């Protein structure tokens, strides 16, 4: 179920099995955690949240609108969720 007014979507876009897709980059982890907490304050184990994103793809020289799935795989001792990055779906590009 996808809504253009919602920045996140619960559930998977397809019925396929979950496959992790780590990004392998270092960034603003605290800012990202705050964003996830604001969008999904009470996640459940196994829950998938889809975040939409717009970014510049320098390799393709175009803007890309995508959706990335994040799954709760565990909880820390302090109750904070451990998110795993998964499938990325390209929704559109600036040449479409």
């Amino acid at each position: 179920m996808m809504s253009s007014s919602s920045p996140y979507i619960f559930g998977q876009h397809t019925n396929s099995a979950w496959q992790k897709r780590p990004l392998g980059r270092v960034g603003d982890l605290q800012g990202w955690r705050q964003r996830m907490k604001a969008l999904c304050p009470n996640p459940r184990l196994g829950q998938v949240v889809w975040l939409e994103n717009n970014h510049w793809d320098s390799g393709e020289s175009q803007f890309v609108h995508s959706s990335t799935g994040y799954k709760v795989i565990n909880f820390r001792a302090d109750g904070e969720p451990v998110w795993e990055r998964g499938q990325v779906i390209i929704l559109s590009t600036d040449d479409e």
Side-chain angles (χ1 to χ4, degrees):
M1 179 172 116
M2 189 171 192
S3 169
S4 60
S5 63
S6 176
Y8 63 96
I9 298 100
F10 297 105
Q12 293 194 43
H13 281 192
T14 67
N15 292 329
S16 63
W18 177 259
Q19 294 181 13
K20 66 180 178 178
R21 301 254 194 289
L23 191 55
R25 279 196 312 219
V26 177
D28 180 12
L29 182 59
Q30 188 60 31
W32 180 85
R33 284 183 178 154
Q34 290 172 348
R35 180 179 176 203
M36 293 299 286
K37 186 172 184 76
L39 294 173
C40 188
N42 298 306
R44 299 177 312 274
L45 187 63
Q47 183 172 12
V48 177
V49 175
W50 290 88
L51 297 179
E52 291 191 15
N53 183 36
N54 293 307
H55 67 276
W56 176 255
D57 184 331
S58 56
E60 297 292 327
S61 297
Q62 64 185 359
F63 281 100
V64 176
H65 180 93
S66 63
S67 184
T68 304
Y70 294 91
K71 182 178 184 178
V72 178
I73 59 169
N74 206 344
F75 289 92
R76 296 188 224 303
D78 64 2
E80 288 297 310
V82 176
W83 296 95
E84 180 177 71
R85 184 177 182 271
Q87 183 177 10
V88 177
I89 298 172
I90 304 301
L91 301 173
S92 66
T93 60
D94 65 355
D95 64 345
E96 293 179 345

